[in-house]
Amino acid sequence: MESRVCMNGLCANSSNSVEWKKGWPLRSGGFATLCDDCGTAYEQLIFCETFHSEETGWRECTSCKKRLHCGCIASSSLLELLDTGGVHCRGCSKSSKLPSTPLEEKHKACGLSTDNGIDQNFDKMAPAQSDDNAQKDGQEHVPPSQNDDTTPRKLEEDFAGSGEIGFKLFSSFNQSSVVPPKDQDTLRDSKSDGSEHKSLVQTNLSISLSASSNLNTLPGAIAEERQLSASISSFQQGCRPRHVLPRLPNSILPAGLETNSSTITQLRVARPPVEGRVKNQLLPRYWPRITDQELQQISGDSNSTIIPLFEKVLSASDAGRIGRLVLPKACAEAYFPPISQPEGLPLRIQDVKGKEWIFQFRFWPNNNSRMYVLEGVTPCIQSMQLQAGDTVTFSRMDPEGKLLMGFRKASSTLSVQKDSHYSMNSGAFQGEQLLGNAENLPMMSGYSGLLQSLKETRASSMTLLSKHVYPGNISPHIIEKNVSQSMGLPERKRRNIGPKSKRLLIDGQDSLELRLSWEEVQEMLRPPPRVEPSTIMVEDHEFEEFEEPPVFGKRSIFIVRLSGEQEQWTQCDSCFKWRKVPIDFLLPHKWTCQDNVTDQMRSSCSAPDELSSRELEILLRMNKDFTKRRVQTSLKQESQDLETLTNAAPVGVETNEPGSSSVGPTTKHPRHRPGCSCIVCIQPPSGKGKHKPTCVCNVCMTVKRRFKTLMMRKKKRQSEREAEIAQKNHQFASAAKEEAEVDSIPLRLESEILLHGQSQENAEILKGELDLNCCPGRENHAAPPRVSMMSLLQEASLPLETYLRQNGLTSLVSEQQVASPLGLSAGIQEHEEGSNEFSEKDQRENDPS
DNA sequence: CCCCTGCATGGATTA
DNA sequence: AATCCATGCAGGGGG
């Protein structure tokens, strides 16, 4: 029994001398052990040699001939750790023995150090040895049990590809571009040397491919380990190619991007996990998408190796107050220390600002499986100002083994072409600054934040031993492209925004913009070119069916002049002048003046603008304003729907009237829809049906109180909204007056400026939306007016004058027109006024009091 | 009553 | 069909 100082750094009494109950000398010189003081299991460097044959990266059990692969997480398992230490091969029922190897012998001894070597070390602290060694020793040895934990931790095999991946990594990178000659020499030397060198190279392979071997290895490790680390680091440098991510075939690149690296800046690339063993198991959605440039920047001049591990888009519950971040199982098992008890263990992770956090890494039993979570993340999430929809990224810095946590704001993912601006006090922003905005994509990347924090750390005291180099060229597998540049939606984006995102309860403006961006994207979809649709009939409606996915069209602005003439305006991608195009013209995603075949006068970029700058300014401002209103309206509508339903349930109000959202969430589960038959939704709501109206039980009282509170809130909001509307009226009147003084074009929006919509149908639908949404009095209706969608559409498609006249608002039209010959602002205002009036009128009709 | 913890559920996704 | 995982919720503890 050896006495050493606890070095896990997680122990409050880390300076105490603790007994290494199950000290397991590792090949690296480190030990896996359990701190007697804090009970924390931890390991130091663990490297695998045993199961890496030089050629294939795996070995066969000499007894059962089954492949034993280190560190793989596969479905089948043949190896299990014994509580007593050692390893048991299910295939041959042999057990390994405890190595009693002195440190000098460690290079020859073989702990069952695996890629996932901490598996044993963290959990079991069990000395282990391969079957191979057991075989050599000619004995089976099952050490006496010292561990109460009787749950065998499984190691899996059947992942022969892992090792192969390692070699593929080696062979597929562009050596000349990333490996200095010296390193290549080193590599050659190491390869050409004797077996010891080979084994070390092999070891190094396992290091670089290792996902978790170095986790939380803290500075202050014992001297032996440091020495070994250093020596290994030198090998890491020699084997730098092994760190290099595979360069994917150019065919994956979108057309036009293959070679033009000078014009494209860095694209955010989903990187398959460096660690081969998880590559085939980690879902692409978790692949880290750190850019080469970010990595290089993070690495900087140091010798530090940054290994992107995985990333995850935060769900509502991840970003919520509970403070639990659900970890993808595969990622947790691959990259975080193995845990055998649900309580897990504390994990140190450094955030983008350089601050170290300690999260509880644990799991819950779930459906015969496990659900891994990081607990206590709320402060960290808050400090990074993350919300649902944002992405957290996990990396590891080797050889320190330090876990790094970065982030990427959702807005940087989707609103890539927007004029986004970001919080100046954001660490990510600062990081972005440091990156020199090389991506040309507005980006809020925690990797960028990492850059800064790492630089700071570096400046302090960190010793960085090796440098991570990625190929200079882009190696996209899944490319997150600028939406407007893409002719097809990247698979990953589809996946994230699609069904998965239904669960995202996204709050906040950024996330809302994200959602609306998606809606906008939907509106920009065009039929695939050169593909003839087949027509199918579904319930007497004709649908065009395309065999190819839709493509993106260019954004345009629709306007309607006072004369009733509709116009479509779009911007040249080359000269950025605005051109008028036929109303029914389907714009390709890239459009220039040369494509303006319908207007020969302006089919060249040299042709002057048709609109004056002032007119353009007004047009765009109104356009922007309308977008903003639409966002807000949509948000209000959603919250109103939800609230209406929430309120209606306890008091038994039927909310499913025509005109109200037919797909609104239920009162039970906001994410469930009416008609949902889940066990929760089919239960009667508390207080409804079960209790009498006079019941004063806790449930009923709570419901009543909540109802009362909500009604009070509604009243308050209503009055605030009225005040706001009055203020807006004033502002718009002023603006209209001002614009009337300047030269103007006789444009008028019939009801609104239409964004993205390509057809009159869209216009009508949007009108319908506005009618539905801009109804401030609506929520006060005990029974909202019965309005069908068809009638709304009909209403919306009426000329504004007719519409207003029907609602007794003729004077408004004339006033606004007089005030604003331009008619743009008036158009929007008119509609909103109309909506308000409409609502108020309805309110009067429906609520005489 | 609020908050935390641990588990259960079921939609989404993958095999 | 199996698995993952986002989220709901019951139960317990503390203020």
Side-chain angles (χ1 to χ4, degrees):
Chain A
M1 200 71 74
E2 194 174 359
S3 184
R4 291 179 184 271
V5 173
C6 172
M7 287 164 298
N8 66 3
L10 302 174
C11 173
N13 305 310
S14 60
S15 59
N16 288 351
S17 179
V18 296
E19 208 171 45
W20 286 40
K21 267 204 274 193
K22 302 178 180 67
W24 175 15
L26 302 171
R27 194 188 166 285
S28 65
F31 285 82
T33 190
L34 193 69
C35 172
D36 272 356
D37 272 11
C38 64
T40 302
Y42 70 102
E43 56 96 37
Q44 293 167 18
L45 293 178
I46 300 168
F47 304 132
C48 170
E49 181 183 13
T50 304
F51 295 128
H52 271 147
S53 79
E54 291 165 12
E55 293 79 22
T56 61
W58 50 268
R59 271 192 182 181
E60 290 178 345
C61 169
T62 51
S63 176
C64 68
K65 302 296 179 192
K66 298 242 178 176
R67 288 179 180 181
L68 303 177
H69 196 280
C70 53
C72 59
I73 308 274
S75 54
S76 65
S77 60
L78 284 174
L79 298 181
E80 64 181 45
L81 287 176
L82 301 173
D83 299 336
T84 54
V87 63
H88 175 81
C89 175
R90 290 180 172 176
C92 61
S93 297
K94 291 219 172 198
S95 299
S96 66
K97 61 169 281 186
L98 278 164
S100 54
T101 339
L103 203 58
E104 298 76 29
E105 296 283 320
K106 280 172 196 160
H107 288 218
K108 294 174 187 171
C110 169
L112 178 67
S113 52
T114 67
D115 271 350
N116 203 18
I118 322 175
D119 214 300
Q120 305 96 32
N121 309 317
F122 267 95
D123 281 352
K124 305 296 175 185
M125 305 308 109
Q129 191 176 14
S130 73
D131 284 339
D132 202 55
N133 276 3
Q135 187 81 4
K136 264 189 261 175
D137 292 341
Q139 56 178 316
E140 291 181 24
H141 177 74
V142 180
S145 174
Q146 290 180 323
N147 197 326
D148 294 333
D149 182 0
T150 54
T151 311
R153 176 81 187 180
K154 294 171 185 171
L155 290 179
E156 287 91 356
E157 59 95 48
D158 199 14
F159 200 81
S162 169
E164 290 167 17
I165 287 168
F167 284 92
K168 279 176 187 167
L169 285 175
F170 175 69
S171 59
S172 60
F173 85 105
N174 186 347
Q175 275 197 29
S176 59
S177 67
V178 293
V179 184
K182 186 182 172 187
D183 287 344
Q184 293 186 34
D185 291 340
T186 311
L187 181 63
R188 268 197 304 274
D189 289 344
S190 62
K191 289 181 84 176
S192 61
D193 275 353
S195 60
E196 188 177 348
H197 264 184
K198 281 182 182 175
S199 80
L200 282 168
V201 170
Q202 205 58 260
T203 299
N204 183 48
L205 171 64
S206 116
I207 296 167
S208 59
L209 293 183
S210 166
S212 50
S213 62
N214 301 339
L215 277 178
N216 279 4
T217 302
L218 302 169
I222 55 176
E224 304 147 20
E225 187 222 326
R226 274 190 178 163
Q227 287 164 4
L228 215 91
S229 297
S231 69
I232 286 164
S233 294
S234 66
F235 272 95
Q236 278 183 300
Q237 287 186 323
C239 298
R240 188 164 293 168
R242 308 210 189 267
H243 293 257
V244 176
L245 286 174
R247 187 175 173 182
L248 296 163
N250 280 344
S251 58
I252 302 174
L253 283 165
L257 290 180
E258 299 90 346
T259 55
N260 195 3
S261 59
S262 60
T263 54
I264 48 172
T265 51
Q266 280 225 315
L267 296 172
R268 192 165 296 285
V269 176
R271 295 175 183 279
V274 179
E275 287 74 14
R277 70 185 168 78
V278 280
K279 178 176 178 177
N280 289 346
Q281 291 143 16
L282 213 59
L283 294 174
R285 96 173 75 133
Y286 302 125
W287 289 4
R289 290 183 297 159
I290 185 171
T291 64
D292 291 335
Q293 180 142 9
E294 284 169 307
L295 268 174
Q296 298 238 3
Q297 292 281 340
I298 292 169
S299 274
D301 305 330
S302 79
N303 293 321
S304 185
T305 300
I306 305 297
I307 299 184
L309 300 178
F310 66 95
E311 66 177 43
K312 192 201 171 193
V313 176
L314 289 179
S315 69
S317 44
D318 290 335
R321 290 191 317 154
I322 301 177
R324 297 192 293 210
L325 171 59
V326 174
L327 294 167
K329 188 179 171 219
C331 302
E333 292 184 342
Y335 300 123
F336 288 173
I339 47 178
S340 57
Q341 297 297 322
E343 293 73 30
L345 49 84
L347 211 57
R348 271 190 172 191
I349 302 182
Q350 180 176 311
D351 76 1
V352 297
K353 293 173 183 168
K355 181 172 181 181
E356 281 209 335
W357 302 87
I358 297 179
F359 305 128
Q360 188 72 19
F361 170 57
R362 57 170 310 175
F363 70 86
W364 306 316
N366 195 330
N367 292 339
N368 294 323
S369 179
R370 291 175 170 191
M371 192 166 167
Y372 290 91
V373 291
L374 275 185
E375 290 185 339
V377 298
T378 299
C380 177
I381 296 278
Q382 284 176 348
S383 85
M384 293 193 280
Q385 299 178 338
L386 297 181
Q387 301 172 336
D390 297 338
T391 302
V392 289
T393 58
F394 292 90
S395 313
R396 193 181 67 236
M397 186 199 300
D398 279 349
E400 296 90 337
K402 180 179 276 185
L403 279 175
L404 306 169
M405 188 177 176
F407 69 89
R408 198 162 55 241
K409 298 290 281 184
S411 53
S412 71
T413 303
L414 272 189
S415 58
V416 286
Q417 207 178 23
K418 285 188 173 180
D419 294 329
S420 310
H421 62 279
Y422 299 111
S423 162
M424 288 298 289
N425 56 12
S426 151
F429 183 87
Q430 296 161 17
E432 175 64 16
Q433 296 289 78
L434 286 167
L435 275 179
N437 205 9
E439 281 197 306
N440 271 357
L441 303 177
M443 174 179 75
M444 252 185 132
S445 165
Y447 282 119
S448 312
L450 275 180
L451 164 62
Q452 187 191 4
S453 80
L454 290 175
K455 283 184 189 298
E456 286 168 0
T457 312
R458 210 173 284 135
S460 55
S461 61
M462 187 182 295
T463 307
L464 304 172
L465 299 172
S466 68
K467 181 176 177 179
H468 189 108
V469 180
Y470 279 103
N473 287 336
I474 296 161
S475 52
H477 184 80
I478 295 171
I479 297 179
E480 184 174 348
K481 282 197 299 180
N482 185 323
V483 166
S484 68
Q485 287 178 345
S486 74
M487 291 297 289
L489 199 60
E491 183 189 357
R492 187 181 187 283
K493 195 165 286 180
R494 276 203 301 270
R495 179 176 292 152
N496 276 352
I497 300 172
K500 270 286 178 188
S501 68
K502 275 197 256 178
R503 289 182 167 186
L504 294 181
L505 178 61
I506 298 178
D507 294 323
Q509 199 65 22
D510 281 351
S511 305
L512 187 66
E513 279 180 17
L514 181 149
R515 183 167 58 80
L516 288 180
S517 294
W518 175 246
E519 290 170 359
E520 290 167 7
V521 163
Q522 294 279 12
E523 291 171 7
M524 292 164 65
L525 290 176
R526 308 278 181 270
R530 296 181 299 279
V531 174
E532 286 300 317
S534 54
T535 305
I536 58 169
M537 296 288 290
V538 178
E539 294 181 354
D540 296 332
H541 293 284
E542 283 189 5
F543 291 90
E544 288 184 333
E545 197 175 54
F546 293 85
E547 290 195 355
E548 288 185 13
V551 298
F552 279 99
K554 187 176 172 59
R555 294 178 73 155
S556 58
I557 294 178
F558 283 82
I559 58 173
V560 181
R561 291 182 181 270
L562 277 173
S563 61
E565 186 190 352
Q566 298 177 2
E567 292 176 357
Q568 183 182 189
W569 291 80
T570 193
Q571 196 174 21
C572 170
D573 284 326
S574 176
C575 66
F576 305 111
K577 292 194 179 83
W578 284 86
R579 304 294 191 198
K580 186 166 71 176
V581 293
I583 186 72
D584 55 350
F585 188 67
L586 291 177
L587 290 158
H589 89 289
K590 189 167 179 63
W591 187 91
T592 61
C593 292
Q594 282 72 37
D595 301 319
N596 194 10
V597 290
T598 56
D599 185 359
Q600 296 297 331
M601 297 284 289
R602 292 185 175 80
S603 60
S604 161
C605 291
S606 57
D609 265 323
E610 196 171 346
L611 296 175
S612 73
S613 57
R614 177 63 181 166
E615 289 164 351
L616 264 177
E617 187 188 333
I618 294 168
L619 183 77
L620 296 175
R621 193 193 329 152
M622 295 307 155
N623 190 350
K624 190 176 172 184
D625 188 56
F626 172 71
T627 309
K628 195 175 168 185
R629 282 155 190 261
R630 197 179 145 199
V631 167
Q632 290 168 347
T633 305
S634 175
L635 178 63
K636 280 180 190 171
Q637 175 63 27
E638 248 182 35
S639 67
Q640 284 172 10
D641 282 349
L642 191 63
E643 199 166 289
T644 305
L645 284 158
T646 310
N647 292 337
V651 294
V653 174
E654 179 58 60
T655 59
N656 212 11
E657 292 108 346
S660 67
S661 170
S662 61
V663 290
T666 68
T667 59
K668 305 286 186 62
H669 293 173
R671 66 190 166 101
H672 291 194
R673 304 293 164 189
C676 175
S677 59
C678 79
I679 186 66
V680 178
C681 289
I682 61 175
Q683 288 172 346
S686 302
K688 184 187 175 185
K690 291 178 181 172
H691 303 249
K692 294 178 180 176
T694 53
C695 177
V696 290
C697 75
N698 274 347
V699 174
C700 290
M701 292 306 288
T702 304
V703 167
K704 285 172 186 169
R705 190 175 57 252
R706 170 160 166 67
F707 182 70
K708 194 177 170 185
T709 310
L710 286 172
M711 291 306 290
M712 285 173 64
R713 275 195 212 148
K714 277 184 189 174
K715 281 181 184 170
K716 189 181 171 190
R717 268 202 301 273
Q718 168 73 9
S719 57
E720 284 172 358
R721 203 168 294 134
E722 281 168 359
E724 191 184 341
I725 289 166
Q727 194 180 356
K728 276 182 190 167
N729 288 347
H730 182 70
Q731 285 173 351
F732 271 97
S734 309
K737 201 174 285 180
E738 179 197 333
E739 282 155 8
E741 291 166 3
V742 191
D743 60 331
S744 58
I745 52 173
L747 295 174
R748 183 181 65 82
L749 274 183
E750 187 160 16
S751 61
E752 64 211 23
I753 292 175
L754 298 177
L755 273 181
H756 325 306
Q758 284 276 10
S759 64
Q760 183 64 22
E761 284 78 9
N762 277 351
E764 290 171 2
I765 288 167
L766 281 175
K767 287 174 194 172
E769 278 184 11
L770 276 179
D771 276 346
L772 281 172
N773 297 339
C774 296
C775 188
R778 169 189 164 165
E779 58 187 7
N780 273 6
H781 296 171
R786 289 188 167 268
V787 184
S788 72
M789 184 55 78
M790 285 308 294
S791 67
L792 281 166
L793 287 173
Q794 284 167 2
E795 287 268 23
S797 60
L798 288 172
L800 183 64
E801 291 85 349
T802 311
Y803 173 77
L804 293 173
R805 216 173 293 122
Q806 283 179 357
N807 292 281
L809 295 168
T810 47
S811 60
L812 179 66
V813 177
S814 55
E815 279 171 20
Q816 297 272 351
Q817 283 175 353
V818 167
S820 173
L822 180 65
L824 276 172
S825 59
I828 294 174
Q829 181 67 5
E830 280 164 14
H831 183 80
E832 295 206 339
E833 290 288 333
S835 300
N836 296 338
E837 288 293 328
F838 178 62
S839 309
E840 284 162 16
K841 184 182 157 211
D842 289 339
Q843 191 178 344
R844 281 195 300 274
E845 286 172 2
N846 291 291
D847 186 8
S849 61

